[in-house]
């Protein structure tokens, strides 16, 4: 599998294995890709607003919890 920062691509790959990952698309988790790419490699450094940062943190925490719950189910 090629390396990518695209969360939508990674989510779609996961959906092929576990359809519950479609919930991440419903929650617009792919918007976090901008924080991995645009901010990191931008010509001008971008400072997100407090609201954008809070939204991104909330989404990242949701993804972490979601993925850990899926891993726990797989291990059982």
């Amino acid at each position: 599998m090629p390396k990518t920062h695209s969360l939508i691509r990674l989510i779609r790959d996961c959906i092929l294995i576990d359809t519950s990952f479609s919930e991440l698309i419903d929650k617009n988790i792919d918007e976090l890709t901008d924080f991995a790419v645009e901010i990191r490699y931008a010509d001008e450094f971008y400072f997100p607003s407090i609201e954008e940062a809070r939204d991104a943190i909330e989404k990242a925490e949701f993804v972490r919890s979601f993925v850990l719950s899926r891993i726990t189910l797989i291990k059982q």
Side-chain angles (χ1 to χ4, degrees):
M1 179 177 288
K3 293 181 181 181
T4 183
H5 289 292
S6 172
L7 290 177
I8 193 67
R9 182 174 177 185
L10 294 170
I11 293 167
R12 286 182 177 152
D13 286 346
C14 290
I15 289 170
L16 295 174
I17 299 167
D18 181 345
T19 58
S20 69
F21 276 80
S22 62
E23 184 175 347
L24 300 180
I25 292 176
D26 297 339
K27 294 192 177 288
N28 298 316
I29 297 301
D30 58 297
E31 292 175 357
L32 291 175
T33 298
D34 291 342
F35 288 92
V37 180
E38 297 299 325
I39 292 175
R40 188 172 178 187
Y41 300 112
D43 293 335
E44 294 181 27
F45 193 76
Y46 172 74
F47 287 98
S49 70
I50 296 294
E51 289 175 6
E52 288 174 307
R54 284 186 180 139
D55 183 56
I57 290 167
E58 185 177 306
K59 286 179 179 178
E61 288 174 343
F62 178 83
V63 170
R64 180 182 183 274
S65 175
F66 178 86
V67 171
L68 287 175
S69 75
R70 301 313 301 160
I71 291 171
T72 300
L73 288 174
I74 291 170
K75 287 183 176 181
Q76 293 180 351

